[in-house]
Coordinates of all heavy atoms in Angstrom, one line a residue:
G1 N -4.9 3.2 16.2 CA -5.9 2.2 16.6 C -6.6 1.5 15.4 O -7.7 1.1 15.5
E2 N -5.9 1.4 14.3 CA -6.4 0.7 13.1 C -5.4 -0.3 12.6 O -4.2 -0.3 13.0 CB -6.8 1.7 12.0 CG -8.0 2.5 12.3 CD -8.5 3.2 11.0 OE1 -7.7 3.6 10.2 OE2 -9.7 3.5 11.0
Y3 N -5.8 -1.1 11.7 CA -5.0 -2.2 11.1 C -4.5 -1.7 9.6 O -5.3 -1.1 8.9 CB -5.7 -3.5 10.9 CG -6.1 -4.2 12.2 CD1 -7.2 -3.8 12.9 CD2 -5.3 -5.3 12.6 CE1 -7.5 -4.5 14.1 CE2 -5.6 -6.0 13.8 CZ -6.7 -5.6 14.5 OH -7.1 -6.3 15.7
Y4 N -3.3 -2.1 9.2 CA -2.9 -1.9 7.8 C -2.7 -3.3 7.2 O -2.4 -4.2 7.8 CB -1.7 -1.0 7.7 CG -0.4 -1.6 8.3 CD1 0.4 -2.5 7.6 CD2 0.0 -1.3 9.6 CE1 1.6 -3.0 8.1 CE2 1.2 -1.8 10.2 CZ 1.9 -2.7 9.4 OH 3.1 -3.2 10.0
L5 N -3.0 -3.3 5.9 CA -2.9 -4.5 5.1 C -1.4 -4.8 4.6 O -0.8 -3.9 4.1 CB -3.8 -4.4 3.8 CG -3.8 -5.6 2.9 CD1 -4.5 -6.8 3.6 CD2 -4.5 -5.3 1.6
H6 N -1.0 -6.0 4.8 CA 0.3 -6.4 4.3 C 0.2 -7.9 3.7 O 0.1 -8.8 4.5 CB 1.4 -6.3 5.3 CG 1.2 -7.2 6.5 ND1 1.6 -8.5 6.6 CD2 0.5 -7.0 7.7 CE1 1.3 -9.0 7.8 NE2 0.6 -8.1 8.5
L7 N 0.1 -8.0 2.4 CA 0.0 -9.4 1.9 C 1.2 -10.2 2.2 O 1.2 -11.4 2.2 CB -0.2 -9.3 0.4 CG -1.5 -8.7 -0.1 CD1 -1.6 -8.7 -1.6 CD2 -2.7 -9.4 0.5
F8 N 2.3 -9.6 2.4 CA 3.6 -10.3 2.7 C 4.0 -10.0 4.2 O 3.2 -10.2 5.1 CB 4.7 -9.9 1.7 CG 4.3 -10.3 0.3 CD1 3.5 -9.5 -0.5 CD2 4.7 -11.5 -0.2 CE1 3.1 -9.9 -1.8 CE2 4.3 -12.0 -1.5 CZ 3.5 -11.2 -2.3
S9 N 5.2 -9.6 4.4 CA 5.6 -9.4 5.8 C 4.9 -8.2 6.4 O 4.5 -7.3 5.7 CB 7.2 -9.2 5.8 OG 7.6 -8.4 6.9
K10 N 4.9 -8.1 7.7 CA 4.2 -7.0 8.4 C 5.1 -5.7 8.2 O 4.6 -4.6 8.4 CB 4.0 -7.3 9.9 CG 5.3 -7.4 10.7 CD 5.0 -7.7 12.1 CE 6.3 -7.9 13.0 NZ 6.1 -8.2 14.4
K11 N 6.3 -5.9 7.7 CA 7.1 -4.7 7.4 C 7.0 -4.4 5.9 O 7.8 -3.6 5.4 CB 8.6 -5.0 7.8 CG 8.8 -5.0 9.3 CD 10.3 -5.2 9.6 CE 11.2 -4.0 9.2 NZ 10.8 -2.7 9.8
Q12 N 6.0 -4.9 5.2 CA 5.8 -4.6 3.8 C 4.3 -4.2 3.6 O 3.5 -4.9 3.0 CB 6.1 -5.8 3.0 CG 7.6 -6.2 2.9 CD 7.8 -7.5 2.3 OE1 7.4 -8.6 2.8 NE2 8.5 -7.5 1.1
P13 N 3.9 -3.0 4.1 CA 2.5 -2.6 3.9 C 2.2 -2.3 2.5 O 2.9 -1.8 1.7 CB 2.5 -1.3 4.7 CG 3.9 -0.8 4.8 CD 4.7 -2.0 4.8
D14 N 1.0 -2.8 2.1 CA 0.5 -2.6 0.7 C 0.1 -1.2 0.4 O -0.6 -0.5 1.2 CB -0.7 -3.5 0.5 CG -0.4 -5.0 0.2 OD1 0.5 -5.5 1.0 OD2 -0.9 -5.5 -0.8
L15 N 0.5 -0.7 -0.8 CA 0.1 0.6 -1.2 C -1.3 0.5 -1.7 O -1.8 -0.5 -2.2 CB 1.0 1.0 -2.4 CG 2.4 1.5 -2.0 CD1 3.3 1.6 -3.2 CD2 2.4 2.8 -1.3
N16 N -2.0 1.7 -1.6 CA -3.4 1.8 -2.0 C -3.4 2.3 -3.5 O -3.4 3.6 -3.7 CB -4.1 2.7 -1.1 CG -5.5 3.0 -1.5 OD1 -6.1 2.2 -2.3 ND2 -6.1 4.1 -1.0
W17 N -3.4 1.4 -4.4 CA -3.4 1.9 -5.8 C -4.7 2.5 -6.3 O -4.7 3.2 -7.4 CB -3.1 0.6 -6.7 CG -1.6 0.4 -6.9 CD1 -0.7 0.0 -6.0 CD2 -0.8 0.7 -8.1 NE1 0.6 0.0 -6.5 CE2 0.5 0.4 -7.8 CE3 -1.1 1.2 -9.3 CZ2 1.6 0.5 -8.7 CZ3 -0.1 1.3 -10.3 CH2 1.2 1.0 -10.0
D18 N -5.7 2.4 -5.5 CA -7.0 3.2 -5.9 C -6.8 4.7 -5.7 O -7.6 5.5 -6.2 CB -8.1 2.7 -5.0 CG -8.5 1.2 -5.4 OD1 -8.2 0.8 -6.5 OD2 -9.2 0.6 -4.5
N19 N -5.7 5.1 -5.0 CA -5.4 6.5 -4.8 C -4.6 7.0 -5.9 O -3.4 6.6 -6.1 CB -4.7 6.7 -3.5 CG -4.4 8.1 -3.1 OD1 -4.5 9.0 -3.9 ND2 -3.9 8.3 -1.9
P20 N -5.1 7.9 -6.8 CA -4.3 8.4 -7.9 C -3.0 9.0 -7.5 O -2.0 9.0 -8.3 CB -5.2 9.5 -8.5 CG -6.6 9.3 -8.0 CD -6.4 8.6 -6.6
A21 N -2.9 9.6 -6.3 CA -1.6 10.2 -5.9 C -0.5 9.1 -5.8 O 0.7 9.3 -6.1 CB -1.8 10.9 -4.6
V22 N -0.9 7.9 -5.3 CA 0.0 6.8 -5.2 C 0.5 6.4 -6.6 O 1.7 6.2 -6.9 CB -0.6 5.6 -4.5 CG1 0.2 4.3 -4.7 CG2 -0.9 5.9 -3.0
R23 N -0.4 6.3 -7.5 CA 0.0 5.8 -8.9 C 0.9 6.9 -9.5 O 1.9 6.5 -10.2 CB -1.3 5.6 -9.7 CG -2.3 4.6 -9.2 CD -3.2 4.1 -10.2 NE -4.1 5.0 -10.8 CZ -5.2 5.5 -10.3 NH1 -5.6 5.1 -9.1 NH2 -5.9 6.4 -11.0
N24 N 0.6 8.1 -9.3 CA 1.5 9.2 -9.9 C 2.9 9.2 -9.3 O 3.9 9.4 -10.0 CB 0.8 10.5 -9.7 CG -0.4 10.7 -10.7 OD1 -0.4 10.1 -11.7 ND2 -1.3 11.5 -10.2
E25 N 2.9 8.9 -8.0 CA 4.3 8.7 -7.3 C 5.1 7.6 -8.0 O 6.3 7.7 -8.2 CB 4.1 8.5 -5.8 CG 3.5 9.6 -5.0 CD 4.5 10.5 -4.4 OE1 5.7 10.5 -4.9 OE2 4.1 11.2 -3.4
V26 N 4.4 6.5 -8.2 CA 5.1 5.3 -8.8 C 5.5 5.6 -10.2 O 6.7 5.3 -10.6 CB 4.2 4.1 -8.8 CG1 4.8 2.9 -9.6 CG2 3.9 3.6 -7.3
Y27 N 4.6 6.3 -11.0 CA 5.0 6.6 -12.4 C 6.2 7.6 -12.4 O 7.1 7.4 -13.3 CB 3.8 7.2 -13.1 CG 2.6 6.3 -13.1 CD1 1.3 6.8 -13.3 CD2 2.7 4.9 -13.0 CE1 0.2 6.0 -13.3 CE2 1.5 4.1 -13.0 CZ 0.3 4.7 -13.1 OH -0.8 3.9 -13.1

C-alpha cells in the first residue's frame, strides 16, 4: 500500500543511498 521511487522506468526502482547497508552492498 505504498509507492516506490523510480526516476527512470517503473521497473528501475531507486536505491536508498542514505542507508549504509546499501552503500556497503555496492562497494
Side-chain angles (χ1 to χ4, degrees):
E2 289 192 329
Y3 292 81
Y4 64 85
L5 181 70
H6 61 91
L7 295 181
F8 295 88
S9 157
K10 66 182 180 180
K11 288 184 66 62
Q12 293 170 292
D14 279 48
L15 285 165
N16 176 19
W17 272 71
D18 292 340
N19 182 346
V22 168
R23 303 200 300 276
N24 289 330
E25 293 266 22
V26 172
Y27 303 156

